[in-house]
Amino acid sequence: MTRLLAALTATAILAGCSGGNPREVTATAYNSVNSQTKAGDPTLTAWGDTLKPGMKAIAVSRDLIDDGLTHGTEVKIEGLPGTYIVRDKMNKRWEDKIDIYMGLDVEAAKEWGKRTVTISWKEEE
């Protein structure tokens, strides 16, 4: 029953999206700590946004930017409530990957680990 409910929820979330979606990606998590971000200001993103704990933000691999996941795009992540906003971009060595922002909660990020998730977003017209 739980799997059925999860599948129905994911279907409902993804049904409202258009374009070349949904897309399966690898998802990890990151925090505003110096060891995980660019040295100097661990709250500053590559696009110049300032991250704050509690924000629903993600970083995306650069191939996803080319596919329409640009700065400010709203993204649904299967299995997580709400909408996340693209606020950061990852090193160009990554492909088909997102990094979910988890504020200062390093343990939550470790618990998340590395997962395959389905994401969806509305394509710009």
Side-chain angles (χ1 to χ4, degrees):
M1 184 67 155
T2 302
R3 285 185 184 171
L4 176 61
L5 182 58
L8 290 173
T9 301
T11 301
I13 288 170
L14 298 174
C17 297
S18 62
N21 301 298
R23 181 162 178 172
E24 196 171 86
V25 296
T26 300
T28 53
Y30 75 114
N31 307 100
S32 289
V33 295
N34 281 319
S35 63
Q36 297 180 33
T37 60
K38 185 175 180 182
D41 185 353
T43 63
L44 187 63
T45 73
W47 266 308
D49 293 348
T50 299
L51 297 175
K52 296 177 183 153
M55 290 177 81
K56 289 190 170 200
I58 61 172
V60 296
S61 57
R62 294 175 190 237
D63 60 316
L64 297 176
I65 296 168
D66 293 339
D67 290 343
L69 271 174
T70 59
H71 182 253
T73 302
E74 294 183 5
V75 179
K76 299 243 184 205
I77 303 170
E78 180 182 11
L80 294 178
T83 302
Y84 288 74
I85 307 295
V86 176
R87 299 274 183 220
D88 204 355
K89 51 189 165 183
M90 302 170 79
N91 185 294
K92 53 187 153 189
R93 74 177 177 259
W94 300 112
E95 291 184 357
D96 288 318
K97 186 173 181 194
I98 65 169
D99 222 358
I100 302 167
Y101 179 65
M102 295 198 174
L104 298 172
D105 194 343
V106 174
E107 287 306 312
K110 286 180 182 178
E111 187 177 310
W112 174 267
K114 178 180 173 183
R115 304 178 190 189
T116 299
V117 298
T118 301
I119 60 172
S120 56
W121 66 97
K122 290 188 179 184
E123 301 275 340
E124 289 201 23
E125 317 236 342

